[in-house]
């Protein structure tokens, strides 16, 4: 009896010391449940790159100086381009990393959507890191209704709310700033709608003052978001990557039916942070790249079974695993 008690006590002691070791250090074989790095993805609806160039946007300029940029990002693929050049398919591609033959959304009815097979990128993040904290802030309601999944915080300004998109963007920006300041988020998506609204009213063109003004107003919101990140006590170790792009450009007062219109299908991409490339992105880039860039930075290996169409453009070669 004495011997078996001693054996059991020995086993218990051994177990204690192993669990104690696990608590103090990273235990071999146990996977971390949160990513080591962070991502802020910003989507600005309906921005033409030549208008972005003409607008006074110090916050975006600073991000470009600290990373990579192109004004040659395409909203349609070479492999597949049959969907309408409007927001439903655009944001679906932007958030899922696949073209419309896979996510199934060809227009703003969202009929045929297949986000079960091709989900929002937060889903892949949570599969790898179950305790990652995610937040989505949008004021084009269908994004929240149809596309967003696995967001711990969801802020949406619905269409039934009669505020202008300019007012809604301001409310959203403030909510996102609070989230970035008070919570511990790993992946955040913030969408701004006013630029597209003004484009439809006054024209999508770099010479239209109100269109440029809307871009400048959004730039002020981006400055607030960056300020919130930079005031986080551990922001340097958190290693934030900031990605900005859009779903389409525009010509005249529209962007529908723009398959052969360069001002509609050509947009911009900003990838900014310590692990971003510096300077102009030379390789072809597409809006489906956005979630692949985000997941790569977050340390989520891209699996072939997901059939993503994007690549991690704008990230320095040594941090990429897709080539
Ligand atoms: Zn749009």
């Amino acid at each position: 009896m004495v011997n078996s008690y001693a054996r059991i006590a020995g086993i218990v002691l051994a177990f204690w010391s192993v669990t104690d070791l696990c608590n103090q250090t990273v235990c071999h074989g146990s996977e971390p449940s949160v990513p080591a790095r962070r991502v802020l993805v910003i989507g600005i609806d309906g921005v033409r790159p030549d208008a972005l160039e003409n607008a006074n946007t110090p916050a975006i300029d600073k991000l470009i100086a600290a990373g990579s940029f192109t004004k040659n990002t395409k909203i349609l693929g070479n492999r597949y381009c049959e969907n309408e050049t409007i927001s439903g398919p655009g944001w679906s591609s932007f958030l899922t990393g696949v073209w419309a033959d896979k996510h199934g959304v060809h227009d703003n009815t969202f009929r045929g959507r297949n986000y079960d097979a091709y989900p929002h990128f937060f889903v892949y993040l949570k599969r790898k890191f179950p305790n990652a904290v995610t937040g989505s802030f949008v004021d084009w309601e269908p994004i929240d209704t149809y596309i967003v999944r696995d967001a711990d915080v969801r802020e949406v300004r619905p269409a039934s709310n009669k505020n202008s998109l300019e007012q809604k963007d301001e409310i959203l920006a403030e909510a996102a700033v609070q989230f970035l300041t008070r919570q511990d988020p790993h992946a955040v998506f913030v969408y701004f709608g006013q630029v597209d609204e003004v484009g439809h009213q006054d024209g999508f063109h770099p010479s239209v003052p109100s269109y440029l003004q809307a871009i400048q107003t959004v730039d002020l919101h981006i400055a607030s978001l960056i300020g919130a990140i930079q005031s986080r006590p551990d922001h340097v170790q958190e290693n934030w990557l900031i990605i900005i792009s859009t779903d389409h450009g525009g010509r005249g007062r529209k962007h529908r039916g723009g398959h052969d219109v360069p001002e509609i299908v050509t947009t911009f991409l900003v990838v900014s942070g310590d692990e971003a490339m510096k300077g102009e992105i030379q390789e072809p880039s597409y809006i489906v790249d956005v979630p692949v860039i985000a997941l790569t930075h977050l340390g989520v290996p891209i699996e072939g079974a997901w059939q993503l169409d994007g690549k991690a453009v704008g990230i320095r070669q040594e941090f990429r695993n897709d080539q």
Side-chain angles (χ1 to χ4, degrees):
M1 285 294 276
V2 171
N3 272 350
S4 49
Y5 274 130
R7 264 206 308 275
I8 291 166
I11 290 165
V12 169
L13 276 176
F15 179 72
W16 264 344
S17 56
V18 168
T19 49
D20 197 39
L21 201 66
C22 284
N23 289 336
Q24 288 169 22
T25 60
V26 176
C27 202
H28 291 291
S30 73
E31 290 272 324
S33 65
V34 294
R37 304 186 190 89
R38 321 246 175 166
V39 161
L40 169 63
V41 178
I42 299 170
I44 317 171
D45 204 302
V47 176
R48 276 176 59 152
D50 50 2
L52 179 64
E53 215 161 27
N54 275 12
N56 181 25
T57 53
I60 295 175
D61 294 350
K62 226 181 269 177
L63 291 173
I64 291 171
S68 55
F69 175 69
T70 173
K71 41 186 182 176
N72 199 24
T73 298
K74 302 295 181 197
I75 69 159
L76 297 171
N78 291 327
R79 186 185 63 69
Y80 189 83
C81 57
E82 299 302 309
N83 53 283
E84 256 304 349
T85 52
I86 57 178
S87 293
W91 293 113
S92 297
S93 299
F94 184 108
L95 290 166
T96 66
V98 298
W99 295 118
D101 58 336
K102 295 177 185 169
H103 62 62
V105 176
H106 285 75
D107 54 35
N108 287 353
T109 66
F110 285 80
R111 274 197 293 272
R113 62 187 179 274
N114 190 15
Y115 302 124
D116 288 338
Y118 300 98
H120 189 295
F121 75 92
F122 285 172
V123 171
Y124 299 121
L125 173 61
K126 291 276 200 172
R127 274 188 210 159
K128 169 79 178 165
F129 298 111
N131 293 333
V133 175
T134 56
S136 170
F137 300 79
V138 306
D139 54 20
W140 192 54
E141 198 173 4
I143 294 176
D144 188 75
T145 307
Y146 298 118
I147 312 176
V148 176
R149 305 263 170 106
D150 269 357
D152 298 298
V153 170
R154 286 167 81 153
E155 186 81 30
V156 59
R157 311 311 300 173
S160 58
N161 179 314
K162 290 305 169 206
N163 282 346
S164 67
L165 279 169
E166 184 180 348
Q167 291 166 317
K168 290 177 184 177
D169 281 358
E170 192 175 341
I171 295 166
L172 275 185
E174 182 51 32
V177 162
Q178 293 303 321
F179 182 59
L180 286 163
T181 307
R182 296 187 179 166
Q183 311 279 327
D184 197 21
H186 299 90
V188 183
F189 173 58
V190 185
Y191 164 97
F192 295 112
Q194 66 185 285
V195 178
D196 186 68
E197 185 175 58
V198 173
H200 284 294
Q201 281 162 13
D202 299 340
F204 293 86
H205 197 273
S207 70
V208 174
S210 56
Y211 184 60
L212 300 190
Q213 180 56 55
I215 295 173
Q216 292 172 183
T217 302
V218 169
D219 188 72
L220 292 174
H221 297 323
I222 291 173
S224 303
L225 297 174
I226 306 305
I229 287 176
Q230 288 177 343
S231 57
R232 293 179 58 78
D234 295 327
H235 76 94
V236 174
Q237 294 90 310
E238 288 172 353
N239 194 349
W240 285 83
L241 189 79
I242 295 153
I243 307 165
I244 314 177
S245 189
T246 181
D247 57 335
H248 51 72
R251 189 170 69 177
R253 289 187 169 81
K254 63 185 224 86
H255 48 76
R256 186 179 287 272
H259 297 77
D260 300 318
V261 182
E263 301 94 316
I264 293 174
V265 296
T266 311
T267 67
F268 72 97
L269 173 67
V270 178
V271 182
S272 186
D274 286 349
E275 294 183 9
M277 265 175 50
K278 300 293 175 276
E280 196 175 332
I281 297 170
Q282 301 290 346
E283 72 181 295
S285 61
Y286 302 89
I287 53 172
V288 291
D289 296 334
V290 169
V292 179
I293 300 166
L295 289 167
T296 300
H297 182 71
L298 288 162
V300 180
I302 306 297
E303 293 181 18
W306 302 345
Q307 300 177 64
L308 300 190
D309 289 315
K311 296 172 97 179
V313 301
I315 290 191
R316 289 204 332 247
Q317 207 59 45
E318 60 265 43
F319 299 111
R320 288 177 64 163
N321 48 21
D322 62 342
Q323 289 186 326

